Amino acid sequence: MATTSSHSESGDPTPEPAKESGGGGVALKKEIGLVSACGIIVGNIIGSGIFVSPKGVLENAGSVGLAIIVWVVTGGITAIGALCYAELGVTIPKSGGDYSYVKDIFGGLAGFLRLWIAVLVIYPTNQAVIALTFANYILQPLFPSCLPPDTALRLLAAVCLLLLTWVNCFSVRWATRVQDIFTAGKLLALGLIIIMGIVQICKGHYYWLEPVHAFETFRDYEVGLIALSFLQGSFAYGGWNFLNYVTEELVDPYRNLPRAIFISIPLVTFVYVFANIAYITAMSPQELLASNAVAVTFGEKLLGVMSWIMPISVALSTFGGVNGSLFTSSRLFFAGAREGHLPRLLAMIHVNRCTPIPALLFTCVSTLLMMCTSDIYTLINYVGFINYLFYGVTVAGQIVLRIKQPDLKRPIKISLVWPVIYLLFWGFLLIFSLYSEPLVCGIGLLIMLTGVPVYYLGVYWENKPEWFDRGLCKLTHVCQKFCSVVYPAMDQSPPEEEKGDGHEEDGSLKVDG
C-alpha cells in the first residue's frame, strides 16, 4: 500500500483532457460521450443473466404476475438509486464512484473498506465468471453431447480477458467502441426476443399473461421468498452505478452523467420486463424453471434452424460484459491509488495513450488468479451482501452531505424523499438477508474487516522503515519504465498525508464552497 495520499478534496478534481505542463504532463482524456456512457451502463447491467437464468425471481415470487411486478419495482428502485448517484456524481466529480463518495463523506477507513472488498473479491470474481460463461457458450457447439473440458474453458476465458485488456490498454476510444458495438448486439438480440413475444401474443399465446392465470401460484406465497425474489431482482440490475467510476473521462459530465442514467435505467427495465413476458408466451412457468439456459430454450421453440442465434447472443453479451467490467473496475483501482489507498503505480497512465495501463494489468492479473480457484461462486455469495451494503451506505452519505454541507454546489439536486425511499427498500432487503443467511453475510463482513489492519499498516502508518519505502520506490520506478507511464497532471495542490486529506477530524468532507 502507498504511504501518502496524492489528493485534495476541495475544488474540482477533474483533470483536463489535454497534455499539461507540470506533474506528469498527461491526464485522462475525456473521450466518453453520451452514447458510450449509455453503453457502459446498459452493457454492465445486461450480462448473461437475462439470457441464461432469469428464473430466480420467478421461482421465489411464486407466480408469473408477481414476478413481473418484482421486475418493474426493482427497476424503479434502481432508477431511484441511480438518481441519488447522479447527484453525488456531479457534486463530487471524481472517478471511483461509490468508493470516492464514501471516502470523502465518511473518511478514509470507510472508503478503503469499500475499495478493499472490490479489489480482493468483487471485481476479480465477477469478471472471471463472465469470462467463463463466454467460453462455455463458445465451446458448447463443439461438445454437443457433453460439457466442455474445464481446462479449455479456463484457457479460452483467459484469452478473452487478455485480448480485452490489450484493447483497453491501447485506447480508450477502442474500448468504448467495443462496448458500444456489443451493447448494441445484446440489445438487438433482446429486441428479437421481445418481437417474437409480441408475435406470440398476436397469435393468442398469452395464457400465462391473463390476470386469472398470471397470479395462479405454483406454490404458496411466503413473505420470506417474496423478499428473496426482490433481492434477486435487485442483483439483476447490478452495474447501474458503473458510469460513476469513469466520471473524469466523460465529455461534459454535468450533462452526460445524469442523461445517460435517465436513458439507460428505463431502457434496461423495459427490456427486462418485456423479455420475461416474451419468455412466458413460449414456455410455461415449469418449463422456464427447468431450463438452464432460458433464451436458448426459447430460441429452440420458436426459431427452428436459426436457434443458434441465442447462444451466440449470450456469448456476445458476456464478451461485452467483460470489456465493460475491465474498463470501469480499472478506473476504481486507479482512483484508489491516486487517493493513496493502493500503490502509487496503479494511478499512473501511459505517456501517449493516456490509459491507466498498470491498473488494467492489475485487474487482469487478479482476475486470472481468480480463474485458478474452484470457489469463485462461493466467494460471490459471500461478498454480494457487502456490495449491496455499500449501495445503501453511499446513498445515506448523500443525506449526510446535505446536512453537513448544505451550501455545496450541486448541479443536480433531487428531493431527499428519493434517498429515503431507496434506504427503506434497501434496509428491508438487508435485514432479510441477515435473517435468512446469517452465516453467509457474517463471512462477507469478516472478509471486509480483514481490510482494517491493512488500512492501518499500509495507509495510516506513515513512518515505515526506510528500506521498505526505498524498495517500493525502486519497484515503482522499474514498473513505470516498463509500462511507459507517469503520474497524471492534476489541477490540485501538492499531495498531502492521509490525515490531512481535506477531512475534518470526524471524517467529514471539507469542501471549499
Side-chain angles (χ1 to χ4, degrees), residues 136-165:
N136 184 56
Y137 274 85
I138 289 292
L139 292 176
Q140 193 61 58
L142 303 178
F143 299 90
S145 58
C146 63
L147 294 174
D150 188 64
T151 304
L153 279 176
R154 293 177 189 272
L155 282 174
L156 183 56
V159 169
C160 165
L161 188 68
L162 290 168
L163 172 63
L164 288 173
T165 299

PDB file of all heavy atoms in Angstrom, residues 136-165:
ATOM      1  N   ASN A 136     -17.891 -20.884 -22.143  1.00  0.00           N
ATOM      2  CA  ASN A 136     -18.817 -22.019 -22.164  1.00  0.00           C
ATOM      3  C   ASN A 136     -19.735 -21.981 -23.379  1.00  0.00           C
ATOM      4  O   ASN A 136     -19.948 -23.006 -24.042  1.00  0.00           O
ATOM      5  CB  ASN A 136     -19.638 -22.023 -20.871  1.00  0.00           C
ATOM      6  CG  ASN A 136     -20.555 -23.229 -20.772  1.00  0.00           C
ATOM      7  OD1 ASN A 136     -20.101 -24.367 -20.849  1.00  0.00           O
ATOM      8  ND2 ASN A 136     -21.835 -22.977 -20.626  1.00  0.00           N
ATOM      9  N   TYR A 137     -20.261 -20.802 -23.708  1.00  0.00           N
ATOM     10  CA  TYR A 137     -21.193 -20.698 -24.838  1.00  0.00           C
ATOM     11  C   TYR A 137     -20.478 -20.755 -26.184  1.00  0.00           C
ATOM     12  O   TYR A 137     -21.077 -21.136 -27.181  1.00  0.00           O
ATOM     13  CB  TYR A 137     -22.028 -19.414 -24.713  1.00  0.00           C
ATOM     14  CG  TYR A 137     -23.245 -19.642 -23.844  1.00  0.00           C
ATOM     15  CD1 TYR A 137     -23.157 -19.535 -22.463  1.00  0.00           C
ATOM     16  CD2 TYR A 137     -24.461 -20.012 -24.396  1.00  0.00           C
ATOM     17  CE1 TYR A 137     -24.244 -19.771 -21.654  1.00  0.00           C
ATOM     18  CE2 TYR A 137     -25.565 -20.247 -23.598  1.00  0.00           C
ATOM     19  CZ  TYR A 137     -25.455 -20.130 -22.227  1.00  0.00           C
ATOM     20  OH  TYR A 137     -26.533 -20.378 -21.433  1.00  0.00           O
ATOM     21  N   ILE A 138     -19.197 -20.391 -26.216  1.00  0.00           N
ATOM     22  CA  ILE A 138     -18.427 -20.535 -27.453  1.00  0.00           C
ATOM     23  C   ILE A 138     -18.083 -22.004 -27.711  1.00  0.00           C
ATOM     24  O   ILE A 138     -18.151 -22.501 -28.847  1.00  0.00           O
ATOM     25  CB  ILE A 138     -17.133 -19.690 -27.378  1.00  0.00           C
ATOM     26  CG1 ILE A 138     -17.469 -18.192 -27.456  1.00  0.00           C
ATOM     27  CG2 ILE A 138     -16.172 -20.064 -28.507  1.00  0.00           C
ATOM     28  CD1 ILE A 138     -18.013 -17.721 -28.791  1.00  0.00           C
ATOM     29  N   LEU A 139     -17.733 -22.720 -26.653  1.00  0.00           N
ATOM     30  CA  LEU A 139     -17.285 -24.103 -26.804  1.00  0.00           C
ATOM     31  C   LEU A 139     -18.420 -25.121 -26.860  1.00  0.00           C
ATOM     32  O   LEU A 139     -18.228 -26.241 -27.346  1.00  0.00           O
ATOM     33  CB  LEU A 139     -16.339 -24.472 -25.647  1.00  0.00           C
ATOM     34  CG  LEU A 139     -14.981 -23.765 -25.618  1.00  0.00           C
ATOM     35  CD1 LEU A 139     -14.209 -24.151 -24.365  1.00  0.00           C
ATOM     36  CD2 LEU A 139     -14.168 -24.101 -26.872  1.00  0.00           C
ATOM     37  N   GLN A 140     -19.602 -24.748 -26.347  1.00  0.00           N
ATOM     38  CA  GLN A 140     -20.699 -25.713 -26.263  1.00  0.00           C
ATOM     39  C   GLN A 140     -21.036 -26.379 -27.598  1.00  0.00           C
ATOM     40  O   GLN A 140     -21.244 -27.602 -27.651  1.00  0.00           O
ATOM     41  CB  GLN A 140     -21.951 -25.038 -25.676  1.00  0.00           C
ATOM     42  CG  GLN A 140     -23.037 -26.021 -25.254  1.00  0.00           C
ATOM     43  CD  GLN A 140     -22.572 -26.970 -24.170  1.00  0.00           C
ATOM     44  OE1 GLN A 140     -22.154 -26.544 -23.101  1.00  0.00           O
ATOM     45  NE2 GLN A 140     -22.601 -28.270 -24.434  1.00  0.00           N
ATOM     46  N   PRO A 141     -21.083 -25.653 -28.742  1.00  0.00           N
ATOM     47  CA  PRO A 141     -21.372 -26.308 -30.022  1.00  0.00           C
ATOM     48  C   PRO A 141     -20.334 -27.369 -30.409  1.00  0.00           C
ATOM     49  O   PRO A 141     -20.647 -28.290 -31.163  1.00  0.00           O
ATOM     50  CB  PRO A 141     -21.369 -25.143 -31.027  1.00  0.00           C
ATOM     51  CG  PRO A 141     -21.677 -23.938 -30.211  1.00  0.00           C
ATOM     52  CD  PRO A 141     -21.028 -24.182 -28.890  1.00  0.00           C
ATOM     53  N   LEU A 142     -19.109 -27.235 -29.901  1.00  0.00           N
ATOM     54  CA  LEU A 142     -18.067 -28.212 -30.210  1.00  0.00           C
ATOM     55  C   LEU A 142     -18.181 -29.461 -29.346  1.00  0.00           C
ATOM     56  O   LEU A 142     -17.562 -30.492 -29.652  1.00  0.00           O
ATOM     57  CB  LEU A 142     -16.676 -27.585 -30.005  1.00  0.00           C
ATOM     58  CG  LEU A 142     -16.385 -26.319 -30.816  1.00  0.00           C
ATOM     59  CD1 LEU A 142     -15.000 -25.781 -30.472  1.00  0.00           C
ATOM     60  CD2 LEU A 142     -16.486 -26.606 -32.314  1.00  0.00           C
ATOM     61  N   PHE A 143     -18.953 -29.377 -28.273  1.00  0.00           N
ATOM     62  CA  PHE A 143     -19.159 -30.520 -27.371  1.00  0.00           C
ATOM     63  C   PHE A 143     -20.657 -30.704 -27.134  1.00  0.00           C
ATOM     64  O   PHE A 143     -21.154 -30.485 -26.013  1.00  0.00           O
ATOM     65  CB  PHE A 143     -18.422 -30.284 -26.042  1.00  0.00           C
ATOM     66  CG  PHE A 143     -16.942 -30.123 -26.185  1.00  0.00           C
ATOM     67  CD1 PHE A 143     -16.381 -28.869 -26.383  1.00  0.00           C
ATOM     68  CD2 PHE A 143     -16.106 -31.224 -26.124  1.00  0.00           C
ATOM     69  CE1 PHE A 143     -15.005 -28.706 -26.508  1.00  0.00           C
ATOM     70  CE2 PHE A 143     -14.729 -31.067 -26.259  1.00  0.00           C
ATOM     71  CZ  PHE A 143     -14.179 -29.815 -26.448  1.00  0.00           C
ATOM     72  N   PRO A 144     -21.418 -31.070 -28.179  1.00  0.00           N
ATOM     73  CA  PRO A 144     -22.886 -31.115 -28.075  1.00  0.00           C
ATOM     74  C   PRO A 144     -23.408 -32.154 -27.096  1.00  0.00           C
ATOM     75  O   PRO A 144     -24.502 -31.995 -26.554  1.00  0.00           O
ATOM     76  CB  PRO A 144     -23.326 -31.437 -29.509  1.00  0.00           C
ATOM     77  CG  PRO A 144     -22.145 -32.104 -30.129  1.00  0.00           C
ATOM     78  CD  PRO A 144     -20.945 -31.481 -29.507  1.00  0.00           C
ATOM     79  N   SER A 145     -22.648 -33.231 -26.870  1.00  0.00           N
ATOM     80  CA  SER A 145     -23.155 -34.324 -26.041  1.00  0.00           C
ATOM     81  C   SER A 145     -22.555 -34.358 -24.638  1.00  0.00           C
ATOM     82  O   SER A 145     -22.846 -35.265 -23.860  1.00  0.00           O
ATOM     83  CB  SER A 145     -22.883 -35.668 -26.732  1.00  0.00           C
ATOM     84  OG  SER A 145     -21.493 -35.834 -26.964  1.00  0.00           O
ATOM     85  N   CYS A 146     -21.697 -33.397 -24.328  1.00  0.00           N
ATOM     86  CA  CYS A 146     -21.082 -33.364 -23.002  1.00  0.00           C
ATOM     87  C   CYS A 146     -20.652 -31.942 -22.678  1.00  0.00           C
ATOM     88  O   CYS A 146     -20.727 -31.050 -23.516  1.00  0.00           O
ATOM     89  CB  CYS A 146     -19.874 -34.301 -22.938  1.00  0.00           C
ATOM     90  SG  CYS A 146     -18.523 -33.823 -24.057  1.00  0.00           S
ATOM     91  N   LEU A 147     -20.199 -31.755 -21.451  1.00  0.00           N
ATOM     92  CA  LEU A 147     -19.725 -30.442 -21.033  1.00  0.00           C
ATOM     93  C   LEU A 147     -18.326 -30.191 -21.588  1.00  0.00           C
ATOM     94  O   LEU A 147     -17.518 -31.126 -21.682  1.00  0.00           O
ATOM     95  CB  LEU A 147     -19.701 -30.351 -19.508  1.00  0.00           C
ATOM     96  CG  LEU A 147     -21.049 -30.407 -18.792  1.00  0.00           C
ATOM     97  CD1 LEU A 147     -20.834 -30.455 -17.276  1.00  0.00           C
ATOM     98  CD2 LEU A 147     -21.915 -29.212 -19.173  1.00  0.00           C
ATOM     99  N   PRO A 148     -18.005 -28.958 -21.966  1.00  0.00           N
ATOM    100  CA  PRO A 148     -16.639 -28.651 -22.430  1.00  0.00           C
ATOM    101  C   PRO A 148     -15.616 -28.930 -21.333  1.00  0.00           C
ATOM    102  O   PRO A 148     -15.920 -28.767 -20.147  1.00  0.00           O
ATOM    103  CB  PRO A 148     -16.708 -27.155 -22.756  1.00  0.00           C
ATOM    104  CG  PRO A 148     -18.148 -26.847 -22.927  1.00  0.00           C
ATOM    105  CD  PRO A 148     -18.886 -27.781 -22.023  1.00  0.00           C
ATOM    106  N   PRO A 149     -14.404 -29.362 -21.691  1.00  0.00           N
ATOM    107  CA  PRO A 149     -13.357 -29.600 -20.682  1.00  0.00           C
ATOM    108  C   PRO A 149     -13.074 -28.337 -19.868  1.00  0.00           C
ATOM    109  O   PRO A 149     -13.040 -27.229 -20.414  1.00  0.00           O
ATOM    110  CB  PRO A 149     -12.136 -29.995 -21.518  1.00  0.00           C
ATOM    111  CG  PRO A 149     -12.681 -30.425 -22.836  1.00  0.00           C
ATOM    112  CD  PRO A 149     -13.933 -29.638 -23.054  1.00  0.00           C
ATOM    113  N   ASP A 150     -12.851 -28.526 -18.588  1.00  0.00           N
ATOM    114  CA  ASP A 150     -12.634 -27.391 -17.700  1.00  0.00           C
ATOM    115  C   ASP A 150     -11.396 -26.585 -18.100  1.00  0.00           C
ATOM    116  O   ASP A 150     -11.403 -25.358 -18.055  1.00  0.00           O
ATOM    117  CB  ASP A 150     -12.496 -27.888 -16.260  1.00  0.00           C
ATOM    118  CG  ASP A 150     -12.457 -26.757 -15.260  1.00  0.00           C
ATOM    119  OD1 ASP A 150     -13.460 -26.031 -15.141  1.00  0.00           O
ATOM    120  OD2 ASP A 150     -11.417 -26.576 -14.604  1.00  0.00           O
ATOM    121  N   THR A 151     -10.336 -27.302 -18.510  1.00  0.00           N
ATOM    122  CA  THR A 151      -9.103 -26.612 -18.919  1.00  0.00           C
ATOM    123  C   THR A 151      -9.338 -25.740 -20.144  1.00  0.00           C
ATOM    124  O   THR A 151      -8.851 -24.595 -20.212  1.00  0.00           O
ATOM    125  CB  THR A 151      -7.996 -27.641 -19.229  1.00  0.00           C
ATOM    126  OG1 THR A 151      -7.796 -28.477 -18.090  1.00  0.00           O
ATOM    127  CG2 THR A 151      -6.694 -26.936 -19.589  1.00  0.00           C
ATOM    128  N   ALA A 152     -10.103 -26.267 -21.119  1.00  0.00           N
ATOM    129  CA  ALA A 152     -10.400 -25.490 -22.326  1.00  0.00           C
ATOM    130  C   ALA A 152     -11.209 -24.241 -21.977  1.00  0.00           C
ATOM    131  O   ALA A 152     -10.972 -23.160 -22.531  1.00  0.00           O
ATOM    132  CB  ALA A 152     -11.153 -26.354 -23.331  1.00  0.00           C
ATOM    133  N   LEU A 153     -12.171 -24.394 -21.053  1.00  0.00           N
ATOM    134  CA  LEU A 153     -12.982 -23.247 -20.620  1.00  0.00           C
ATOM    135  C   LEU A 153     -12.105 -22.149 -20.040  1.00  0.00           C
ATOM    136  O   LEU A 153     -12.218 -20.973 -20.407  1.00  0.00           O
ATOM    137  CB  LEU A 153     -14.004 -23.692 -19.564  1.00  0.00           C
ATOM    138  CG  LEU A 153     -15.294 -24.352 -20.034  1.00  0.00           C
ATOM    139  CD1 LEU A 153     -16.116 -24.806 -18.825  1.00  0.00           C
ATOM    140  CD2 LEU A 153     -16.106 -23.387 -20.883  1.00  0.00           C
ATOM    141  N   ARG A 154     -11.217 -22.526 -19.137  1.00  0.00           N
ATOM    142  CA  ARG A 154     -10.387 -21.534 -18.462  1.00  0.00           C
ATOM    143  C   ARG A 154      -9.380 -20.883 -19.415  1.00  0.00           C
ATOM    144  O   ARG A 154      -9.097 -19.684 -19.311  1.00  0.00           O
ATOM    145  CB  ARG A 154      -9.680 -22.178 -17.269  1.00  0.00           C
ATOM    146  CG  ARG A 154     -10.662 -22.587 -16.169  1.00  0.00           C
ATOM    147  CD  ARG A 154      -9.989 -23.296 -15.003  1.00  0.00           C
ATOM    148  NE  ARG A 154     -10.985 -23.840 -14.098  1.00  0.00           N
ATOM    149  CZ  ARG A 154     -11.532 -23.177 -13.073  1.00  0.00           C
ATOM    150  NH1 ARG A 154     -11.164 -21.938 -12.828  1.00  0.00           N
ATOM    151  NH2 ARG A 154     -12.434 -23.745 -12.307  1.00  0.00           N
ATOM    152  N   LEU A 155      -8.853 -21.660 -20.356  1.00  0.00           N
ATOM    153  CA  LEU A 155      -7.911 -21.100 -21.320  1.00  0.00           C
ATOM    154  C   LEU A 155      -8.590 -20.087 -22.234  1.00  0.00           C
ATOM    155  O   LEU A 155      -8.057 -19.002 -22.492  1.00  0.00           O
ATOM    156  CB  LEU A 155      -7.284 -22.221 -22.152  1.00  0.00           C
ATOM    157  CG  LEU A 155      -6.166 -23.029 -21.478  1.00  0.00           C
ATOM    158  CD1 LEU A 155      -5.740 -24.192 -22.360  1.00  0.00           C
ATOM    159  CD2 LEU A 155      -4.964 -22.131 -21.169  1.00  0.00           C
ATOM    160  N   LEU A 156      -9.779 -20.443 -22.752  1.00  0.00           N
ATOM    161  CA  LEU A 156     -10.490 -19.513 -23.630  1.00  0.00           C
ATOM    162  C   LEU A 156     -10.917 -18.265 -22.864  1.00  0.00           C
ATOM    163  O   LEU A 156     -10.852 -17.145 -23.394  1.00  0.00           O
ATOM    164  CB  LEU A 156     -11.703 -20.196 -24.259  1.00  0.00           C
ATOM    165  CG  LEU A 156     -12.493 -19.358 -25.268  1.00  0.00           C
ATOM    166  CD1 LEU A 156     -11.588 -18.866 -26.398  1.00  0.00           C
ATOM    167  CD2 LEU A 156     -13.665 -20.164 -25.847  1.00  0.00           C
ATOM    168  N   ALA A 157     -11.358 -18.445 -21.621  1.00  0.00           N
ATOM    169  CA  ALA A 157     -11.730 -17.289 -20.791  1.00  0.00           C
ATOM    170  C   ALA A 157     -10.519 -16.384 -20.576  1.00  0.00           C
ATOM    171  O   ALA A 157     -10.633 -15.149 -20.623  1.00  0.00           O
ATOM    172  CB  ALA A 157     -12.276 -17.763 -19.448  1.00  0.00           C
ATOM    173  N   ALA A 158      -9.340 -16.992 -20.372  1.00  0.00           N
ATOM    174  CA  ALA A 158      -8.116 -16.204 -20.187  1.00  0.00           C
ATOM    175  C   ALA A 158      -7.751 -15.447 -21.463  1.00  0.00           C
ATOM    176  O   ALA A 158      -7.333 -14.279 -21.406  1.00  0.00           O
ATOM    177  CB  ALA A 158      -6.966 -17.122 -19.778  1.00  0.00           C
ATOM    178  N   VAL A 159      -7.919 -16.091 -22.622  1.00  0.00           N
ATOM    179  CA  VAL A 159      -7.643 -15.426 -23.901  1.00  0.00           C
ATOM    180  C   VAL A 159      -8.571 -14.225 -24.076  1.00  0.00           C
ATOM    181  O   VAL A 159      -8.141 -13.135 -24.494  1.00  0.00           O
ATOM    182  CB  VAL A 159      -7.811 -16.413 -25.080  1.00  0.00           C
ATOM    183  CG1 VAL A 159      -7.786 -15.670 -26.410  1.00  0.00           C
ATOM    184  CG2 VAL A 159      -6.699 -17.456 -25.045  1.00  0.00           C
ATOM    185  N   CYS A 160      -9.849 -14.414 -23.769  1.00  0.00           N
ATOM    186  CA  CYS A 160     -10.827 -13.317 -23.845  1.00  0.00           C
ATOM    187  C   CYS A 160     -10.388 -12.151 -22.965  1.00  0.00           C
ATOM    188  O   CYS A 160     -10.385 -10.984 -23.389  1.00  0.00           O
ATOM    189  CB  CYS A 160     -12.203 -13.830 -23.417  1.00  0.00           C
ATOM    190  SG  CYS A 160     -13.425 -12.547 -23.053  1.00  0.00           S
ATOM    191  N   LEU A 161      -9.988 -12.461 -21.740  1.00  0.00           N
ATOM    192  CA  LEU A 161      -9.585 -11.425 -20.788  1.00  0.00           C
ATOM    193  C   LEU A 161      -8.325 -10.695 -21.258  1.00  0.00           C
ATOM    194  O   LEU A 161      -8.243  -9.456 -21.198  1.00  0.00           O
ATOM    195  CB  LEU A 161      -9.345 -12.068 -19.423  1.00  0.00           C
ATOM    196  CG  LEU A 161      -9.092 -11.114 -18.259  1.00  0.00           C
ATOM    197  CD1 LEU A 161     -10.347 -10.311 -17.935  1.00  0.00           C
ATOM    198  CD2 LEU A 161      -8.643 -11.892 -17.034  1.00  0.00           C
ATOM    199  N   LEU A 162      -7.345 -11.447 -21.740  1.00  0.00           N
ATOM    200  CA  LEU A 162      -6.091 -10.836 -22.204  1.00  0.00           C
ATOM    201  C   LEU A 162      -6.317  -9.947 -23.425  1.00  0.00           C
ATOM    202  O   LEU A 162      -5.739  -8.857 -23.530  1.00  0.00           O
ATOM    203  CB  LEU A 162      -5.072 -11.935 -22.525  1.00  0.00           C
ATOM    204  CG  LEU A 162      -4.508 -12.695 -21.316  1.00  0.00           C
ATOM    205  CD1 LEU A 162      -3.750 -13.930 -21.767  1.00  0.00           C
ATOM    206  CD2 LEU A 162      -3.612 -11.791 -20.473  1.00  0.00           C
ATOM    207  N   LEU A 163      -7.165 -10.417 -24.355  1.00  0.00           N
ATOM    208  CA  LEU A 163      -7.457  -9.624 -25.553  1.00  0.00           C
ATOM    209  C   LEU A 163      -8.106  -8.292 -25.187  1.00  0.00           C
ATOM    210  O   LEU A 163      -7.703  -7.225 -25.668  1.00  0.00           O
ATOM    211  CB  LEU A 163      -8.365 -10.416 -26.493  1.00  0.00           C
ATOM    212  CG  LEU A 163      -8.916  -9.657 -27.714  1.00  0.00           C
ATOM    213  CD1 LEU A 163      -7.761  -9.216 -28.624  1.00  0.00           C
ATOM    214  CD2 LEU A 163      -9.915 -10.523 -28.487  1.00  0.00           C
ATOM    215  N   LEU A 164      -9.100  -8.344 -24.304  1.00  0.00           N
ATOM    216  CA  LEU A 164      -9.814  -7.120 -23.936  1.00  0.00           C
ATOM    217  C   LEU A 164      -8.945  -6.206 -23.067  1.00  0.00           C
ATOM    218  O   LEU A 164      -9.093  -4.978 -23.124  1.00  0.00           O
ATOM    219  CB  LEU A 164     -11.115  -7.475 -23.224  1.00  0.00           C
ATOM    220  CG  LEU A 164     -12.188  -8.056 -24.150  1.00  0.00           C
ATOM    221  CD1 LEU A 164     -13.390  -8.560 -23.364  1.00  0.00           C
ATOM    222  CD2 LEU A 164     -12.638  -7.008 -25.169  1.00  0.00           C
ATOM    223  N   THR A 165      -8.053  -6.787 -22.285  1.00  0.00           N
ATOM    224  CA  THR A 165      -7.116  -5.952 -21.526  1.00  0.00           C
ATOM    225  C   THR A 165      -6.213  -5.185 -22.479  1.00  0.00           C
ATOM    226  O   THR A 165      -5.948  -3.990 -22.287  1.00  0.00           O
ATOM    227  CB  THR A 165      -6.262  -6.823 -20.578  1.00  0.00           C
ATOM    228  OG1 THR A 165      -7.125  -7.492 -19.655  1.00  0.00           O
ATOM    229  CG2 THR A 165      -5.272  -5.960 -19.801  1.00  0.00           C
TER     230      THR A 165
END
